[in-house]
Amino acid sequence: YDVVARRKVPVYASSKHSYLPPIPTQDFSAHFQITLVQGSEEELKAAFQPYVKDASDPQSPSQWQAIWAINEMAPPFLEDFILKLADQPNRADPSALRRLNTPRAKEKLADMAEHDAQDWVRQRAIQELAKTHDRTYLPVLIGIAGHSADGDRDAAILAIGLLGGEEAVPYLSSLSN
């Protein structure tokens, strides 16, 4: 791909010359080429190794950025690592589990939706579970909606509606009575 990047940037005088008005916006541009290649799983594992190293090291100044990158891209070969992160407070990312969309990741989402100590994690897990489009988790969502009285209930009802199906319709219609 040939890429042309352009940006208009206002240019201001240095502090020595602060009495001067700003120079009109200047155009900056760059031309470069990008070549996309499909990497093997081994090449991807090698590319992710520095992220895994930094994410695993609490002393690393890049730990949070590495955790974010792993969770954002959620490569399947890091499923075990992402599941371990999901068990740690403030490192759980329900959307990473949904991106994995494996049976173990969906089970973890269901567990988080029912039992996580943090409200926001439970509610995100409920939302992400619905985004998997896996109706086998309708009973979990119906259970949450039936015994919760807070934002979890609202999130579960919305998730049930998003998943739909034969089990969802009677439950949702019973709510209107």
Side-chain angles (χ1 to χ4, degrees):
Y1 296 93
D2 287 323
V3 178
V4 178
R6 289 193 179 103
R7 177 152 183 147
K8 292 184 181 271
V9 178
V11 179
Y12 298 94
S14 69
S15 61
K16 291 181 195 175
H17 308 289
S18 60
Y19 57 89
L20 295 173
I23 298 171
T25 302
Q26 297 292 309
D27 282 329
F28 292 92
S29 65
H31 295 83
F32 51 95
Q33 200 171 51
I34 296 176
T35 304
L36 299 179
V37 294
Q38 184 172 350
S40 69
E41 186 171 328
E42 291 308 312
E43 290 170 320
L44 287 172
K45 285 179 180 178
F48 270 91
Q49 195 52 45
Y51 293 100
V52 173
K53 181 179 178 277
D54 285 347
S56 302
D57 180 4
Q59 302 304 316
S60 170
S62 303
Q63 183 186 31
W64 288 106
Q65 292 91 338
I67 290 170
W68 177 85
I70 290 168
N71 280 333
E72 185 66 23
M73 293 181 258
F77 56 84
L78 287 179
E79 179 180 17
D80 289 338
F81 189 81
I82 293 168
L83 287 167
K84 285 179 189 172
L85 288 175
D87 287 332
Q88 299 174 26
N90 300 318
R91 287 174 174 74
D93 186 350
S95 59
L97 296 169
R98 191 243 325 134
R99 279 190 284 280
L100 283 172
N101 206 24
T102 62
R104 289 188 326 160
K106 289 188 269 189
E107 281 297 317
K108 183 62 181 171
L109 275 174
D111 180 58
M112 291 167 78
E114 290 182 295
H115 305 294
D116 200 274
Q118 296 176 302
D119 293 348
W120 72 270
V121 173
R122 282 194 315 272
Q123 291 167 18
R124 286 273 313 278
I126 291 166
Q127 294 166 2
E128 297 299 335
L129 196 54
K131 290 178 185 176
T132 67
H133 305 289
D134 189 340
R135 289 189 178 138
T136 60
Y137 292 97
L138 271 171
V140 171
L141 296 170
I142 290 171
I144 293 168
H147 73 264
S148 298
D150 54 7
D152 294 0
R153 181 175 191 273
D154 296 340
I157 290 169
L158 177 61
I160 293 164
L162 291 171
L163 284 177
E166 292 179 17
E167 291 177 60
V169 173
Y171 180 78
L172 292 172
S173 63
S174 74
L175 295 176
S176 64
N177 294 336

